[in-house]
Amino acid sequence: FTGDTSALIADDHRGYYPRIMEWDWGTTAFRSADGTLIGLNLTRNASIDPETYNENVVWVAGRAHPLPAVIFRRFEASADTAERWEIRDANGRVAIDFDVLVDGRVDINALVLKSKYRGPFGRFSGSVKLDDGTSVDIPGVFGMGEDFELHV
């Protein structure tokens, strides 16, 4: 891996979470055709006020651009198409599709703990709009999603 062809996102956060949690998440990082480093993080999580407090952001050349709250909709695979997640906001700034290529699943049901976890890998495509109206293209790049439920 080299810096001119690779990118990495580290998921690090701190919070106080409820006993029952659910979230949806998608992330990717890549170099655009002109070499600009772009990172994308989209989630629907247990925030009290997701319009104000969320983790949604696109990084362009090292600068973070906050994005609005999003909703994830899932469409099952068919004979002709892969499973698709549509990630959208209420104002048309986020229009991202995630096509699942490899599913990852870990389910645990152990009396005091129940976890339903999916961590598929796939391709993100679409676009996001910055506050100033500039559109950032997400051109079918590799990334990861999560579909998670936890009961403790």
Side-chain angles (χ1 to χ4, degrees):
F1 297 103
T2 63
D4 58 339
T5 61
S6 304
L8 169 82
I9 289 181
D11 182 23
D12 180 28
H13 55 277
R14 175 181 171 202
Y16 300 98
Y17 299 105
R19 276 188 57 244
I20 298 174
M21 292 187 300
E22 295 181 5
W23 69 71
D24 300 304
W25 177 61
T27 191
T28 186
F30 64 98
R31 297 248 177 216
S32 67
D34 69 1
T36 302
L37 180 60
I38 298 174
L40 181 66
N41 191 79
L42 298 169
T43 187
R44 184 215 44 91
N45 61 18
S47 173
I48 294 169
D49 178 6
E51 290 298 328
T52 304
Y53 305 106
N54 67 59
E55 302 171 25
N56 301 331
V57 65
V58 60
W59 293 274
V60 180
R63 182 166 175 236
H65 300 270
L67 296 170
V70 294
I71 299 294
F72 285 64
R73 291 179 44 210
R74 290 183 180 77
F75 299 91
E76 292 185 19
S78 70
D80 300 323
T81 61
E83 176 185 359
R84 173 168 280 181
W85 300 4
E86 289 184 353
I87 309 167
R88 305 289 190 268
D89 72 308
N91 302 314
R93 288 186 55 202
V94 177
I96 298 293
D97 293 334
F98 176 63
D99 293 316
V100 174
L101 300 175
V102 178
D103 199 13
R105 190 178 297 268
V106 177
D107 294 332
I108 299 170
N109 193 353
L111 297 178
V112 297
L113 172 85
K114 181 179 180 185
S115 171
K116 238 174 97 177
Y117 176 83
R118 286 187 66 208
F121 294 94
R123 297 235 175 249
F124 286 92
S125 58
S127 64
V128 296
K129 288 183 185 163
L130 307 183
D131 283 334
D132 68 3
T134 303
S135 185
V136 177
D137 186 37
I138 311 299
V141 294
F142 188 76
M144 180 184 183
E146 285 186 341
D147 175 6
F148 183 68
E149 291 178 37
L150 177 66
H151 302 254
V152 268

